[in-house]
Amino acid sequence: MLERIRFENYKDKIITATQAALLFEDGMTIGSSGFTKAGDSKAVLPAFAARAQNENIAVTLITGASLGHTTDSDLAGAHALNKRMPFQVDPVLRKEINKGTILFIDQHLSETAELLANGHIPAMDYAVIEASAIDENGYIIPTTSIGNSVTFAQLSKKIIIEINTSVPVSFTGIHDIFLPGEYPDRKIIPIVKPCTYIGVDYITVDPEKVAGIVFTELPDSPAEVTAPDEKTIAIAAHLVKFFEKEITAGRLTQALMPLQAGIGKVANAVLSGLSKGDFKNLTMYSEVLQDSTFELIDNGKMNFASASSITVSNECHKKILNNFDFYKDKIVLRPQNISNSPEVIRRLGVIAINTAIEFDIYGNVNSTHISGTKMMNGIGGSGDFARNAYLSIFVTQAASKDGNSISHVLPMVSHTDHTEHDVDILVTDQGLADLRSLAPRERARVIIENCAHPEYKEELRSYFERACEREGHTPHILEEALSWHQQYINSGTMKKASVLQTI
Amino acid sequence: MLERIRFENYKDKIITATQAALLFEDGMTIGSSGFTKAGDSKAVLPAFAARAQNENIAVTLITGASLGHTTDSDLAGAHALNKRMPFQVDPVLRKEINKGTILFIDQHLSETAELLANGHIPAMDYAVIEASAIDENGYIIPTTSIGNSVTFAQLSKKIIIEINTSVPVSFTGIHDIFLPGEYPDRKIIPIVKPCTYIGVDYITVDPEKVAGIVFTELPDSPAEVTAPDEKTIAIAAHLVKFFEKEITAGRLTQALMPLQAGIGKVANAVLSGLSKGDFKNLTMYSEVLQDSTFELIDNGKMNFASASSITVSNECHKKILNNFDFYKDKIVLRPQNISNSPEVIRRLGVIAINTAIEFDIYGNVNSTHISGTKMMNGIGGSGDFARNAYLSIFVTQAASKDGNSISHVLPMVSHTDHTEHDVDILVTDQGLADLRSLAPRERARVIIENCAHPEYKEELRSYFERACEREGHTPHILEEALSWHQQYINSGTMKKASVLQTI
C-alpha cells in the first residue's frame, strides 16, 4: 500500500468502487482515463454501470478514446449514458448511438482537451484516472496511457484515482506530461524529434479535489492481433514498394519519416511489412504503440516510438514488462493533444497511415459512417494526422463481402471525413494510387485503374466518363452519385450486373 | 534606377517583359508571386499570355493565390496553361477548369510551399517575383504580398524579378520572412502573438539564378469593396451578438482572440460590424488585410494585424501610402505557409470566419463546388484556419436568387470541404447556430431552426424527421440527400411546392 500511495493526506480517502460510483449524480459530466483500451477505469465505471442497472441515472462520459473490457457495453446496456465523446469501438454502444438513444460527438482526438480548456464543452464534475501509484506530492503516476487525463485532472471539479496494482510500480520513466497552457499565452510545444522530452512524468492534481482512491487489479484488456491475411499483406507490399521508390527518388531516406499508423490489422500488417523492407532507424510519432511497434524495435529497425498509449496483446504485454529496461528509453507516452498536435505533426513531417471505410474516385475518404448514416467507431486521430502529415496515406480493401458485393472505391463517398485536399496516397490490395500533383480528373483515372477491384472498374470508368460529359472540375452525376450505396441497401450488392440478372 | 537595384551584378540583367516571356518553354512549371491580387506579376505573365496567343505553348502555373488584373483570363484565353494551382477567382480560367481543358489543383494555401519543399510537386523552372527594390546583396524587397515567393525563390531553377516602381521604395519594415527549414530538422515557428517578428525583411535569392530583371509601373488591381447590404449586415449583427455573449460568459474578453476573415463582402461586413460593438485591442492573424482591417485600426479598435497580403480599394491604398508611418508598426506580411500555419493558428487561438457556398443540417461545409461539380474559386486558406482555430465560423446567406430559389442550408452538401468536426458556428442572415458540444441530431435541429430560410424550414424538418425514422448517427435518406441540387439543375428552383405548382 505504502509504495502505491506515498502522500500521507490521501490515506483516509480509500473507498470501494461502489462507493465511488455513488458520488455520480444524474446529468453529471464524467471524464475517464483510457485510450484504445489502455489505462482505462476498470473499477469505478463498471461499478457505475452496475448501479445504473437498478436506477434511473445517466451521465455524459468523456474519455481519451475507446475503453477496454465491456465497460462501454455495460454503460450503454444500463442506459447510463446521455452523451459520449470523443471515440468508441463498442458494439452495444454503437447500436444505441445509431438508434439516437445515446448522443455521440465524434471528435478529432487532439481537440477534446482544447474544447474543454476553452469552455466549449462544459467542465467535468468528476474525473476517474488510473494510476500505478501516487507520489509524495499527491500527484498521479499514469499507467499504459495518458490520453486526456492531464486535462481532466486540471479541469474536473473532483477526482477519483484508480490505483491499478497489476501495473508494476517500476512502470515509470516513459511518461512525458506537458500542457501548452491557457490562451492568450499558449506556449510553444518544443518537440523537434519523436524522442524529445518536454515535461514531467506525473499528472499534477490538486489534493483538495481528490474525492476518493479506489484499488483495482484488473489488467488492460488485450489487443486482438489478427495475423496478416492475403489482402493486408498485399496492401503492405504496395506501400513498402512505394517507400522504396521514394528512397530511390531521393525524397526519403531509409529512416523514412516518423510514422503514424491507425489501429487494426491493416496498420499492423503495414508496420510488419516494414520489418521485411530495407529500412533502418525508423521512428514513430503516433497515437498507439501496437505489437508491430515492438516487433520493429526488437528487430532493430525502429529506434524510438512516441504515442499516447500502449495497446498490445497479452504476449507482447508480458514481453514489455519482462524487458522494461530495454524498452524504457525507446518509447514515450504523451497527452493526446500532444501526440496528435497539428503543430508537432507538421514540424516532424509525419507519414500518416490510416484506414478508410471507403474512398471515392476523387480521393475523398469516409472513415466513420456506413452508407453515410451509421457510425462505426469515429474519426479518432486520423484527421489530426492526415491534414498535417508529410504524406497522408489511406488504406482499405478494394472490395469485400461474399462475391465482392461491396466496392470500397465509389463514385462518391456517402460521408466525408477527409477531403481530397488531405489525401496523398490511396492503397488497396489491388494497388496504390499516388495522387500528388494530380487534378481531380487525373486522380479519378489513377484511382480507378490502380485501386478498384477488377469487378467494379468498368462501372467506375463508365460513371466517370459520363460525368465528364456534363463538365465540372469534379465531374459528378448527382442522381447516380450515391446509387451504389442505395443499391447495396436495397439488394445486398453494389454490382449492377448481378442486380440485372436477379431481376 | 539606382535606388531600385542596389546590387551591382544585376545591372546588365535588365530585360523587357517580352524578352523574359521568351525564356519559358512549353511544358515548364512557372511560379509567380501574387496573393489575392496583391504583388502579382504584372509584366512577365501578361507578356507570356500575349506570346501564347500566337504560339502553341502552355505551362503549369503556381502562385500564392489569385492574380490581379486580367492575367488569369488572358493566360486561360490564350491556352497558355496546362495546370494551375493553388487558387484562382477568374471567370475565364474558371470556365476552362470546369470544362476540364485546364487542370486545377485546389490546395490549402499553407500547403503549396510544403508540397514543393518535399518534392511532392515538381520544382519550378522559373519564378517571377515582384519587388519594390533589390538590396545590396541582390535580395528581393517584396511589395504588397509575400505569398509563396520565398519558397519559389529558394526552389526555382531560375528567377525573374519584376521591379514595380508604383510601390514606393519606402514601403519596407512590414515584411517578416521566415521559413522553417527542411526535414528532418524543421524549426519551431516561434510566433506567440500576431505581432511577433521572427525573420528578416528581404527574400534571399541566389544571384546566379537571376535570369532577368523587368520593370513595371502597373499598380495592384484594387479590391472591389461592396457596401454591406441587408443580408451581410444581418450576418454581422448575429455574429457581434454572439461575441458579446461569449464575453459575458467569460470565455472571451473584449479583445476577442486573433481574427481571421476570408475575402469578400460578408467578411468585410462582419469586420465592419466589429467597429460598432464594444470591442478593443483587437488583433488579426489572417491571410489578407482588407479595407475593414484598416477601418478597425483607424477607429482604434485594432492594435495589430498579420497577414500575407494587402488587398484593398484604391482609396484605402492611397490612405495607407499617405500614412505609412502610422500603419507601419501595426501590420506585418508573412509567407503564406506562416500566415496559414496550423502550428501558429492553434497556438494563437484564432477565431476563423470564412464564407460557405452551402452547408448541411449536420454542419458539413461546401466552400468550393457549385452543385458538387463546378469549381468556384478554391478552398484557399479556409481549411488551414477552420481545422486549427479556437472557433471555426462559417457564414452564408440562407437563400438566394429570385424567389429564393436556392437554399444554402441543405440536407446534404454536394461537396465537402470542411467536415462537421471542424465547424463550430454557422451564421446566415436568418440567425446563428452554435454547434459546440452538440451531436449530429442536435445540430440538425439548431441549424434548421436558426439558419435556414423560412421558406425551406418545413422541407428540411421533414427530411430530418423522415431520415431519423431510418436510424443512424447522422440520419440521411440517400436517394433524397442530393435531390435539392438535382431539382435546381432540372427546374431552376429547390422549392418543392413551386415545382408541384408548375407541373
Side-chain angles (χ1 to χ4, degrees), chain B residues 68-346:
Chain B
H69 301 284
T70 57
T71 305
D72 263 326
S73 276
D74 297 345
L75 289 164
H79 308 291
L81 299 176
N82 292 321
K83 207 174 247 190
R84 180 81 175 84
M85 63 191 94
F87 188 76
Q88 58 77 40
V89 297
D90 185 90
V92 178
L93 174 55
R94 182 183 297 138
K95 208 171 164 185
E96 297 298 324
I97 288 169
N98 286 319
K99 270 163 56 184
T101 46
I102 295 174
L103 294 168
F104 176 58
I105 307 185
D106 178 24
Q107 278 161 348
H108 298 299
L109 295 184
S110 79
E111 287 196 352
T112 314
E114 300 286 334
L115 297 169
L116 284 163
N118 299 340
H120 299 166
I121 303 174
M124 291 136 300
D125 297 287
Y126 280 91
V128 188
I129 300 172
E130 188 179 81
S132 68
I134 292 164
D135 76 7
E136 294 71 13
N137 299 307
Y139 299 162
I140 289 171
I141 301 171
T143 61
T144 47
S145 75
I146 295 179
N148 282 319
S149 298
V150 191
T151 298
F152 293 167
Q154 186 186 31
L155 300 177
S156 184
K157 292 170 198 156
K158 292 281 180 188
I159 298 167
I160 298 164
I161 302 173
E162 253 189 58
I163 296 182
N164 192 325
T165 54
S166 80
V167 181
V169 284
S170 58
F171 195 74
T172 58
I174 58 162
H175 305 100
D176 188 45
I177 313 288
F178 174 92
L179 282 186
E182 283 172 38
Y183 290 124
D185 296 305
R186 289 275 290 255
K187 293 195 289 277
I188 288 165
I189 303 171
I191 295 171
V192 293
K193 302 278 173 196
C195 61
T196 315
Y197 286 81
I198 60 172
V200 297
D201 59 359
Y202 52 80
I203 298 173
T204 308
V205 293
D206 171 3
E208 293 297 312
K209 297 204 299 187
V210 175
I213 295 173
V214 173
F215 275 81
T216 179
E217 52 180 20
L218 194 62
D220 287 345
S221 37
E224 290 148 30
V225 181
T226 24
D229 59 23
E230 205 179 323
K231 284 182 187 172
T232 58
I233 289 171
I235 289 170
H238 294 309
L239 208 42
V240 167
K241 197 172 149 198
F242 167 76
F243 288 139
E244 286 167 349
K245 278 168 72 179
E246 288 295 294
I247 293 169
T248 306
R251 281 188 289 267
L252 289 173
T253 69
Q254 284 174 302
L256 302 179
M257 299 283 278
L259 298 164
Q260 175 261 338
I263 289 203
K265 73 177 180 180
V266 184
N268 252 319
V270 168
L271 291 185
S272 292
L274 292 177
S275 292
K276 287 152 208 140
D278 197 14
F279 306 105
K280 58 182 184 187
N281 301 319
L282 296 173
T283 60
M284 189 163 229
Y285 194 82
S286 194
E287 300 167 317
V288 185
L289 305 183
Q290 302 176 68
D291 282 43
S292 48
T293 309
F294 293 92
E295 274 170 45
L296 284 164
I297 293 175
D298 289 349
N299 64 29
K301 297 271 183 189
M302 183 169 281
N303 292 345
F304 197 90
S306 167
S308 195
S309 82
I310 300 174
T311 304
V312 293
S313 66
N314 275 331
E315 201 180 311
C316 185
H317 187 76
K318 272 182 217 145
K319 179 176 79 176
I320 296 168
L321 292 186
N322 290 338
N323 301 280
F324 192 61
D325 281 343
F326 171 74
Y327 291 116
K328 203 172 173 168
D329 59 355
K330 295 173 185 69
I331 58 174
V332 67
L333 299 183
R334 309 182 187 275
Q336 69 196 72
N337 46 331
I338 305 296
S339 66
N340 289 30
S341 155
E343 167 174 347
V344 182
I345 293 164
R346 185 163 287 188

Side-chain angles (χ1 to χ4, degrees), chain A residues 59-73:
Chain A
V59 299
T60 291
L61 176 63
I62 313 177
T63 55
S66 54
L67 297 176
H69 300 283
T70 56
T71 306
D72 262 326
S73 276

